[in-house]
Amino acid sequence: MKHMKILKSLFLLFCSQQLFAQVNKAPAYPLITHDPYFSIWSMNDTLNAAPTKHWTGTDQPLTGLIKVDGKIYRVIGNESKTYQSILPTSDEQAYTTKYTEAEPAEGWMNSAFNDATWKTGKAPYTNNKSVGGTQWLSKNIWSRRTFTLDKTDYNKLFLKINHDDDAEVYLNGEKIYSYKGWLNKFQYFAIDDAIKQILKKGKNVLAIHVINNVGGAMLDAGISNEPVMKTNNNVIVAEQKNVTIKATQTIYDFNCGPVDATITFTSPLLIKDLELLSRPVSYITYSVKSNDGDTHDVKVYFGASTNIATNTPVQEVFTQKYNTSQLDILKAGTKEQPVLQKKGDDLRIDWGYMYVATPASAKAEQSITTAAQSLSSFTAETSTAANVSSGKNLVLNTSVSLGKVGATAKEQYFLLGYDDIYSIQYFHKNLKPWWNKNGDQTIEKQLAKAATEYKIIMEKCEDWNKTLYTDLVNAGGKNYAELCIIAYRQSIAAHKLLQSPQGEILFLSKENFSNGSINTVDITYPSAPLFIAYNLELMKGMLNGIFYFSESGKWTLPFAAHDLGTYPIANGQTYGEGMPVEESGNMTILVAAVAKAERNANYAKRHWKTLATWTNYLMKEGFDPANQLCTDDFAGHLARNSNLSAKAIVGIGGYGMLAGMLGDKTTAQKYTDTARDMAKRWMVMADKGDHYALTFDRNDSWSQKYNLVWDKVLDLNLFPKEVYEKEIKYYLTKQNEFGLPLDSRKTYTKSDWIMWTATLADNKQNFDALVDPIYKFAIETPTRVPLSDWHETTDGKQVGFQARSVVGGYFMKLLDAKMNK
């Protein structure tokens, strides 16, 4: 009996350790995650193998070093590529070229060509008036830029170019680049060393032809040099032993010779604590202990590139070093400070200020240097570098001595924060972030509070890490839990938390790596399960702006809007085409879900007239939808879409449920009966024997009917369970190595929809069969970016989309468990 008790205790200990082990592999690793602009990741399994990056892929380097008995070990980041302009582009320096829109004579690209009759224009050449430069509205443009060099002994040359559409580029008459298509931003293309030889001291010519086939037009180009990177042979690459992702933390374990080090990145996104959730401060904690029984002199270093505060590295920044009574602080921000002046997808913030801070009690050494000088500020015995007050590509350096370190770990944390001052423009009013919604806070107060509450916050984060993981394991098992943990911070940090001028909470998403829309309804819809499960106020914050848009009279159509604008400007829909059935169904279903979770329909009552308008639109247009886009707009227009029809039916049924909760039995009966009648007709029209079709008129098609999951989660009972069962059985015959395709048209998929589809399964075996290939994708995909929700099921490669909030939809199984326990 005694042996049995011991075995049982050991078993429970093992289970506990396994339960809280959490995640060790991901496509990318969240380090600093707060909002779409303040979001830094490691795109590599090994933290010190490559520079850290913004979710867009642009380098935003963080650097970590540990000095042990005089030896230096690198634990965070690696050298980032830098470029020196030889021939600047317009984002670096204004310039002009000769150009023509009429086809020139032969030899136009040669140095000796006479371009005296060509016009002179200021770059860039574009049809976008907001960009500036020279208006280009025709199909073709030819450009010649003459420049003079006093040297040619460059290390490695790159063409820096942004063009839309097809381009050919010549250097002194030799073709150096050709591409059919367009670029969305400046990119660097290596110039072959053989061609590099044609550069000469004195006069040179960069000649370019661009064809605008359709849509946007752009030409802006220059030449850059990649200087020889000076490697510091005194820096040893620490051996990474392990990485663990938890809900609020990413933890790395290293061996640094005679000491072991743990580096923990904590972004305390505690979903139930809005004040902490909105605080734009993360912790980078070093914990070091001896592994050989001796004591060692240890000093730790953290460096943060000022590129965190720029859209592009060519922007000049101002810096400051100062102290408060509690903290030593370094600060940086762009000289220009173009507050809310840019909008779009592949952008980083270039207004407001970044901060690195440590408690004054740590007696930190701080400096501001160029990137080239940053390591020497720590590796040298004595630093002679003066603080740099302005420049480009600078580094905020902080180091702290831990003194003698033995078997008991010593730790030091660094604070990394960002004050964006104004976060969003909301119907022409600039809004401060939630943490300063009353205008009575400063970033220094937030940093000080973060420092004072450090131990308490670490405890709260660890408690939440365990609670969330346990909830997820209980709902769907280990692989399901790990997928959701990978998704957690990504989903939250793709939003910005604010208060509207009307005093309502706003939690506005950015449609990352898509079109950059703000508060897109068909982004809110798939993201919703996480927020319905754990914080209904955030869920309402995702809906309030769309309701205001309609109820203020700014949006007058009888269906819900698609979005509120292009991030960070929320002045009204900018997407070129509506999704009438899609968005009206989404909004109605989500309000029904809020009511079920709250056990009252008070929120629906506030918006009843608007909901009635949208539901009546669904009654008229939703059952057999006309040719239109749905949330899967990348797949193109589709008429008679059976999955979209299912959404309309569930939306109508949800409205009937809401009416019943409000005591309006007549309305409840009318809409519920209509929804049930539609469901019966749907089953006949979409039925293809062993499955239901993609559209009502295509017998050879199929699709995931993920919208049906709300019938189950809301317990509406519009469709019999046999519908789910037939679909699940059929899906299991259509799977590929990395998941179930979205539908019969292509082999790509949307992983958020698979997680909804899997929730329709009535047993764990079928649920796991659908979820496990997504888990395989997450740990084996060759595409190293923040979790993509759109991937190829045959090879696991990203098709598009990354870092989007929609992975909050992974929590659908957990939501179902919570709603129907």
Side-chain angles (χ1 to χ4, degrees):
M1 183 64 70
K2 184 177 180 181
H3 292 299
M4 290 297 293
K5 287 182 178 179
I6 293 173
L7 287 172
K8 183 177 181 181
S9 296
L10 289 172
F11 176 75
L12 290 173
L13 177 62
F14 173 77
C15 290
S16 175
Q17 291 172 338
Q18 292 301 303
L19 183 59
F20 300 125
Q22 307 216 5
V23 187
N24 303 111
K25 187 75 164 63
Y29 299 83
L31 305 179
I32 310 296
T33 47
H34 290 277
D35 61 43
Y37 286 140
F38 195 26
S39 180
I40 305 174
W41 298 68
S42 172
M43 312 291 195
N44 197 291
D45 291 327
T46 306
L47 179 61
N48 54 10
T52 57
K53 299 176 182 291
H54 186 260
W55 68 259
T56 55
T58 296
D59 286 359
Q60 291 191 336
L62 303 176
T63 304
L65 304 171
I66 300 177
K67 185 184 290 186
V68 184
D69 298 332
K71 290 185 177 180
I72 312 282
Y73 296 84
R74 181 191 293 275
V75 289
I76 303 173
N78 205 338
E79 300 291 343
S80 181
K81 274 190 176 183
T82 59
Y83 298 96
Q84 297 173 339
S85 291
I86 296 172
L87 190 61
T89 47
S90 69
D91 63 328
E92 302 170 85
Q93 182 180 308
Y95 71 91
T96 60
T97 78
K98 290 286 190 174
Y99 78 98
T100 180
E101 295 172 84
E103 185 170 358
E106 289 187 12
W108 65 272
M109 73 288 293
N110 296 327
S111 299
F113 182 81
N114 185 356
D115 57 19
T117 61
W118 290 23
K119 300 175 187 176
T120 298
K122 180 181 178 182
Y125 297 94
T126 179
N127 59 5
N128 184 348
K129 290 183 179 180
S130 66
V131 174
T134 300
Q135 281 286 288
W136 166 34
L137 303 175
S138 61
K139 184 177 179 64
N140 289 273
I141 192 167
W142 290 262
S143 166
R144 287 173 52 86
R145 184 178 181 186
T146 301
F147 60 100
T148 302
L149 297 178
D150 57 11
K151 57 176 281 190
T152 60
D153 56 336
Y154 298 105
N155 176 49
K156 189 170 181 59
L157 292 181
F158 287 81
L159 172 70
K160 179 184 175 184
I161 188 168
N162 185 11
H163 64 82
D164 187 354
D165 294 304
D166 307 345
E168 289 185 335
V169 181
Y170 299 84
L171 180 59
N172 293 338
E174 294 286 335
K175 185 183 287 187
I176 63 172
Y177 174 84
S178 179
Y179 183 81
K180 289 189 178 295
W182 67 92
L183 309 179
N184 293 321
K185 60 183 177 181
F186 283 113
Q187 295 189 34
Y188 292 86
F189 299 92
I191 297 175
D192 187 86
D193 284 343
I195 294 177
K196 185 175 75 172
Q197 302 306 314
I198 67 174
L199 270 181
K200 55 191 178 184
K201 291 183 180 179
K203 177 183 172 183
N204 296 267
V205 175
L206 186 69
I208 305 172
H209 174 211
V210 178
I211 304 172
N212 179 30
N213 295 310
V214 66
M218 171 60 67
L219 169 56
D220 196 350
I223 298 175
S224 297
N225 175 49
E226 181 186 352
V228 176
M229 186 176 292
K230 296 179 181 179
T231 57
N232 192 322
N233 296 325
N234 296 323
V235 177
I236 303 165
V237 178
E239 180 187 4
Q240 183 176 306
K241 309 293 286 187
N242 188 49
V243 57
T244 303
I245 302 174
K246 298 183 179 182
T248 62
Q249 297 173 308
T250 303
I251 305 165
Y252 294 89
D253 295 313
F254 289 94
N255 173 252
C256 303
V259 305
D260 293 330
T262 298
I263 312 297
T264 302
F265 294 86
T266 305
S267 293
L269 302 185
L270 301 181
I271 196 168
K272 299 179 182 181
D273 185 338
L274 296 187
E275 297 307 318
L276 190 54
L277 186 78
S278 68
R279 184 184 298 164
V281 181
S282 280
Y283 303 87
I284 303 93
T285 304
Y286 292 57
S287 178
V288 184
K289 64 180 179 181
S290 171
N291 60 31
D292 65 359
D294 289 336
T295 59
H296 302 277
D297 288 314
V298 175
K299 193 174 185 180
V300 295
Y301 163 91
F302 176 69
S305 170
T306 58
N307 290 346
I308 293 168
T310 68
N311 179 43
T312 64
V314 301
Q315 291 178 281
E316 186 175 2
V317 297
F318 283 168
T319 67
Q320 185 182 357
K321 175 184 175 183
Y322 65 104
N323 313 95
T324 67
S325 60
Q326 291 179 262
L327 300 171
D328 295 328
I329 301 174
L330 299 174
K331 171 183 177 181
T334 60
K335 176 183 178 181
E336 185 184 4
Q337 288 296 303
V339 178
L340 295 169
Q341 293 302 301
K342 296 181 179 69
K343 61 180 180 178
D345 184 30
D346 188 7
L347 295 173
R348 287 131 309 270
I349 194 168
D350 59 0
W351 72 89
Y353 298 89
M354 63 176 290
Y355 295 80
V356 174
T358 53
S361 59
K363 296 181 170 54
E365 297 175 17
Q366 292 188 306
S367 64
I368 303 164
T369 66
T370 64
Q373 295 173 315
S374 61
L375 293 189
S376 62
S377 73
F378 182 68
T379 58
E381 290 298 324
T382 56
S383 177
T384 57
N387 285 321
V388 180
S389 60
S390 65
K392 300 174 183 178
N393 195 26
L394 306 180
V395 179
L396 309 183
N397 308 288
T398 304
S399 60
V400 174
S401 173
L402 299 185
K404 294 288 186 181
V405 174
T408 301
K410 288 189 176 182
E411 75 172 33
Q412 177 62 49
Y413 66 86
F414 301 85
L415 302 172
L416 181 62
Y418 205 101
D419 181 5
D420 56 9
I421 305 173
Y422 288 100
S423 306
I424 299 292
Q425 186 174 103
Y426 183 75
F427 295 102
H428 306 287
K429 182 176 177 60
N430 293 350
L431 301 185
K432 296 178 184 292
W434 178 272
W435 60 267
N436 194 25
K437 61 183 183 294
N438 298 321
D440 59 354
Q441 287 294 307
T442 64
I443 190 65
E444 287 83 4
K445 288 181 180 179
Q446 292 292 304
L447 290 165
K449 200 168 184 182
T452 301
E453 297 175 351
Y454 172 70
K455 289 185 177 179
I456 294 172
I457 290 172
M458 292 302 113
E459 290 172 1
K460 287 182 176 180
C461 285
E462 185 56 25
D463 287 345
W464 177 239
N465 294 342
K466 291 178 179 179
T467 297
L468 181 61
Y469 190 73
T470 301
D471 286 355
L472 292 165
V473 169
N474 290 339
K478 177 179 177 295
N479 287 357
Y480 172 71
E482 293 192 7
L483 280 168
C484 290
I485 293 301
I486 294 171
Y488 178 78
R489 269 177 282 167
Q490 174 174 316
S491 185
I492 295 173
H495 296 83
K496 189 68 181 184
L497 184 61
L498 314 112
Q499 185 179 73
S500 76
Q502 294 74 38
E504 292 187 315
I505 184 172
L506 297 173
F507 194 51
L508 305 181
S509 65
K510 179 176 182 180
E511 194 169 340
N512 290 344
F513 213 75
S514 179
N515 64 352
S517 289
I518 186 169
N519 202 195
T520 305
V521 177
D522 56 287
I523 294 295
T524 294
Y525 179 67
S527 306
L530 168 60
F531 304 100
I532 297 171
Y534 287 113
N535 193 325
L536 287 168
E537 291 308 302
L538 290 176
M539 184 67 252
K540 293 173 187 176
M542 298 157 76
L543 303 174
N544 286 338
I546 299 296
F547 276 120
Y548 173 76
F549 192 21
S550 282
E551 292 164 359
S552 64
K554 302 176 192 300
W555 176 262
T556 59
L557 295 173
F559 49 81
H562 171 271
D563 61 78
L564 291 185
T566 302
Y567 198 95
I569 308 301
N571 290 335
Q573 180 172 312
T574 52
Y575 192 72
E577 181 177 351
M579 299 183 186
V581 173
E582 173 72 38
E583 312 303 21
S584 300
N586 291 344
M587 291 294 291
T588 307
I589 289 169
L590 293 178
V591 172
V594 168
K596 182 173 174 64
E598 284 192 315
R599 301 177 189 273
N600 67 70
N602 294 341
Y603 184 74
K605 186 176 182 179
R606 287 168 45 195
H607 305 289
W608 195 246
K609 183 178 179 181
T610 305
L611 288 169
T613 299
W614 293 342
T615 305
N616 287 330
Y617 184 87
L618 294 176
M619 293 269 280
K620 181 180 178 183
E621 305 289 349
F623 175 72
D624 194 353
N627 191 39
Q628 61 188 274
L629 293 175
C630 70
T631 184
D632 303 318
D633 54 353
F634 51 84
H637 291 74
L638 195 64
R640 314 199 71 189
N641 182 339
S642 63
N643 187 45
L644 187 58
S645 173
K647 175 175 289 182
I649 294 168
V650 174
I652 294 165
Y655 182 80
M657 182 195 86
L658 291 168
M661 295 177 74
L662 291 172
D664 186 347
K665 294 182 180 180
T666 302
T667 300
Q669 191 71 50
K670 173 186 173 181
Y671 286 90
T672 301
D673 287 350
T674 298
R676 286 179 176 156
D677 178 64
M678 285 181 171
K680 291 175 183 177
R681 291 161 55 203
W682 184 98
M683 291 168 60
V684 173
M685 292 174 63
D687 189 18
K688 303 306 171 190
D690 59 353
H691 71 285
Y692 296 95
L694 167 67
T695 66
F696 291 137
D697 56 355
R698 291 175 61 175
N699 293 333
D700 59 345
S701 65
W702 64 272
S703 65
Q704 291 187 50
K705 308 302 187 301
Y706 54 81
N707 286 316
L708 290 175
V709 75
W710 289 106
D711 184 40
K712 180 180 181 182
V713 172
L714 298 178
D715 197 26
L716 298 176
N717 296 310
L718 303 174
F719 293 84
K721 291 181 179 179
E722 290 77 11
V723 173
Y724 313 157
E725 292 168 356
K726 180 157 74 171
E727 284 291 275
I728 293 294
K729 184 178 179 181
Y730 186 78
Y731 298 152
L732 293 175
T733 70
K734 293 296 180 180
Q735 292 214 98
N736 291 323
E737 183 178 2
F738 293 97
L740 176 68
L742 180 65
D743 57 47
S744 52
R745 291 174 290 178
K746 300 281 187 179
T747 55
Y748 58 55
T749 197
K750 288 281 274 89
S751 56
D752 48 341
W753 298 146
I754 290 180
M755 302 295 264
W756 289 28
T757 296
T759 304
L760 291 170
D762 63 359
N763 62 76
K764 192 172 188 310
Q765 180 180 353
N766 288 344
F767 175 79
D768 289 345
L770 290 163
V771 169
D772 287 349
I774 302 305
Y775 179 76
K776 181 180 175 67
F777 157 74
I779 64 173
E780 294 184 14
T781 176
T783 311
R784 307 313 302 272
V785 298
L787 193 58
S788 171
D789 54 286
W790 182 17
H791 73 267
E792 178 54 61
T793 62
T794 57
D795 58 17
K797 292 181 180 178
Q798 175 192 31
V799 176
F801 305 156
Q802 65 194 47
R804 303 207 310 165
S805 68
V806 301
V807 294
Y810 287 13
F811 288 75
M812 182 60 87
K813 178 67 172 176
L814 177 137
L815 178 62
D816 182 44
K818 282 180 169 288
M819 288 280 215
N820 297 302
K821 59 184 177 182

